[in-house]
Amino acid sequence: MTCFAVAGLSDAGVRRAVNEDAVAWRVSQAGDQALLVVADGMGGYAGGSVASELAVAAVLEVIGPKLEIPDQDPMTMDDAIQAAFNLAQRRILSRRQQMPALAKMGTTLVLAWIRDDEAHIAHLGDSRCYLIRGGEVQCQTRDDTVVQKMLEDGSINERDVPKVPFRNVLTRALGGSSDVLASMRRIDLLAGDRLLLCSDGLTGALPESCWSGLLGGEASSAEQVRQLVDASLANQASDNVSVVLLTVL
Amino acid sequence: MASLSQLVDNVVVMSFDLDQSLVTIGRRAENSIRIDEISVSGQHAVIEAIPNAYLDGVTDYYISDCNSTNGTLVNDLRVSERQRLNSNDLIRIGWNEFRFIDDSENALEQTAYILEE
């Protein structure tokens, strides 16, 4: 049976007074399943943190109990993941209607549900999931952003990305979009693999090329997460920084 | 609307509005922006104004070099393929310096937001 070590951390960063990110993780009692969640809220006032917390709570509510059910059909797992996104959307829209101050709130959502050696990854927005295997860092999600669309249609190249003025504009996210069909994929995991979920505060302050020195070795998952967040803070992370890391033992 | 400000010793000596979908720059008389100076090729560079496909009201400006003899540089890097311009980019056409200014960039929020449908 596969065993996991999971740790996570969320920090407001060095310039923001409020942390609008939310993170959570769970490992089943049998130790054969794990759930990792990161949400990056937006919308001003208290809206961002409300939206991200609603999203994470919806995921834990829908998927949390299912972590204790063995031998689930992969399709059933994907259905449960979409149900979690749908519930999060309903809760956010409902709260937006109730409270005018929260009318613009929304959030990204990325989750990974791991059962034995298979990971189900789902997301909306620009929070990401990475697979780290043998020192190589591979992004498993495709940002729902204007910048990503312009990269794909050839309007801009990677060199332009840090400079374009609309790099923070999302094309899809919970709250703002009517289409909340999560982008999903499944990947097989090997012993020693790491899955890393993060908000864009991490990638904005600490490029992926800097991660390999901070991940790996004998350090615990909690220590590695701390090192990543500390390194992004040392780089004057201007956004909230959140990381959840799973190591396949 | 965006503009190009020609600089001499860091002082603006001339300003050109980029008010057409295609602005040509070069030494020949038929160019939209004519620079009658020996380091500038007959047709040296073009700037295209293209509405952003995903953001209403946003125009992207792209510069391309037209196989000029002395090259086109943006922020000291030679333009080898069509390249998007950002406000305050420093453009060199031969020996001539220009500052690209796009005031509408300031209107775009610095914090994340979602394109509401």
Side-chain angles (χ1 to χ4, degrees):
Chain A
M1 190 186 73
T2 312
C3 285
F4 313 111
V6 190
L9 196 57
S10 186
D11 193 290
V14 299
R15 298 212 195 123
R16 299 247 174 132
V18 179
N19 190 351
E20 297 186 306
D21 290 357
V23 301
W25 61 95
R26 297 281 186 277
V27 177
S28 65
Q29 288 182 3
D32 60 335
Q33 297 193 52
L35 176 66
L36 288 61
V37 196
V38 170
D40 178 354
M42 63 210 76
Y45 305 104
S49 55
V50 172
S52 61
E53 284 166 16
L54 284 172
V56 169
V59 171
L60 294 178
E61 186 178 321
V62 174
I63 302 178
K66 298 185 188 301
L67 293 180
E68 304 305 332
I69 304 172
D71 300 327
Q72 292 179 79
D73 173 52
M75 291 296 289
T76 310
M77 292 172 70
D78 287 346
D79 289 346
I81 289 170
Q82 187 58 53
F85 276 73
N86 295 344
L87 178 64
Q89 171 79 344
R90 285 200 302 277
R91 296 250 167 95
I92 290 167
L93 291 183
S94 166
R95 193 69 69 87
R96 277 165 58 129
Q97 284 179 341
Q98 290 165 6
M99 301 185 67
L102 306 180
K104 290 260 178 196
M105 73 175 178
T107 185
T108 71
L109 180 61
V110 60
L111 68 83
W113 181 0
I114 301 97
R115 194 195 62 177
D116 292 325
D117 56 359
E118 186 176 62
H120 293 236
I121 297 159
H123 87 288
L124 268 185
D126 66 350
S127 297
R128 294 179 177 172
C129 175
Y130 288 88
L131 170 67
I132 297 132
R133 175 174 289 168
E136 194 178 333
V137 178
Q138 306 162 3
C139 188
Q140 303 296 313
T141 47
R142 181 178 147 276
D143 292 349
D144 293 310
T145 59
V146 168
V147 162
Q148 180 66 34
K149 283 186 176 290
M150 290 180 74
L151 277 172
E152 288 169 9
D153 73 15
S155 304
I156 58 172
N157 56 39
E158 287 288 349
R159 191 184 54 194
D160 297 319
V161 171
K163 296 180 286 189
V164 294
F166 40 77
R167 58 188 174 278
N168 295 316
V169 183
L170 303 179
T171 51
R172 299 202 316 147
L174 292 172
S177 316
S178 53
D179 162 27
V180 294
L181 194 64
S183 302
M184 294 198 205
R185 72 184 304 177
R186 297 178 202 163
I187 58 170
D188 291 328
L189 297 176
L190 306 172
D193 281 353
R194 290 172 177 80
L195 268 190
L196 184 148
L197 272 57
C198 64
S199 61
D200 64 341
L202 178 73
T203 44
L206 194 68
E208 293 94 326
S209 56
C210 301
W211 296 1
S212 50
L214 302 169
L215 292 167
E218 296 301 311
S220 69
S221 287
E223 288 167 333
Q224 292 178 47
V225 166
R226 181 82 253 175
Q227 286 172 359
L228 280 173
V229 173
D230 284 350
S232 66
L233 297 178
N235 284 352
Q236 302 299 306
S238 57
D239 198 355
N240 308 145
V241 180
S242 298
V243 181
V244 179
L245 178 70
L246 171 139
T247 306
V248 184
L249 301 173
Chain B
M1 191 203 323
S3 63
L4 273 191
S5 297
Q6 188 169 11
L7 307 174
V8 175
D9 295 334
N10 276 326
V11 175
V12 176
V13 295
M14 193 94 81
S15 191
F16 304 94
D17 287 338
L18 300 174
D19 53 2
Q20 301 163 48
S21 57
L22 184 72
V23 170
T24 60
I25 305 168
R27 205 172 70 231
R28 285 195 213 118
E30 67 265 26
N31 284 287
S32 323
I33 299 176
R34 187 186 182 209
I35 313 166
D36 190 11
E37 188 268 305
I38 191 149
S39 71
V40 179
S41 295
Q43 187 180 355
H44 195 108
V46 295
I47 295 178
E48 295 168 87
I50 299 177
N52 188 287
Y54 313 101
L55 293 167
D56 285 343
V58 173
T59 300
D60 294 313
Y61 294 86
Y62 296 90
I63 192 165
S64 306
D65 182 76
C66 304
N67 290 321
S68 67
T69 305
N70 291 306
T72 301
L73 286 83
V74 174
N75 301 329
D76 294 326
L77 295 173
R78 193 159 184 147
V79 174
S80 55
E81 55 186 336
R82 195 178 84 149
Q83 181 176 333
R84 189 182 178 282
L85 291 170
N86 294 292
S87 196
N88 289 315
D89 276 350
L90 193 64
I91 300 170
R92 263 213 340 257
I93 304 285
W95 301 331
N96 302 269
E97 275 193 339
F98 297 85
R99 179 83 63 190
F100 171 75
I101 303 289
D102 184 0
D103 290 331
S104 65
E105 278 193 13
N106 298 330
L108 289 163
E109 293 182 45
Q110 296 302 302
T111 52
Y113 67 97
I114 311 161
L115 288 178
E116 301 264 349
E117 290 163 349

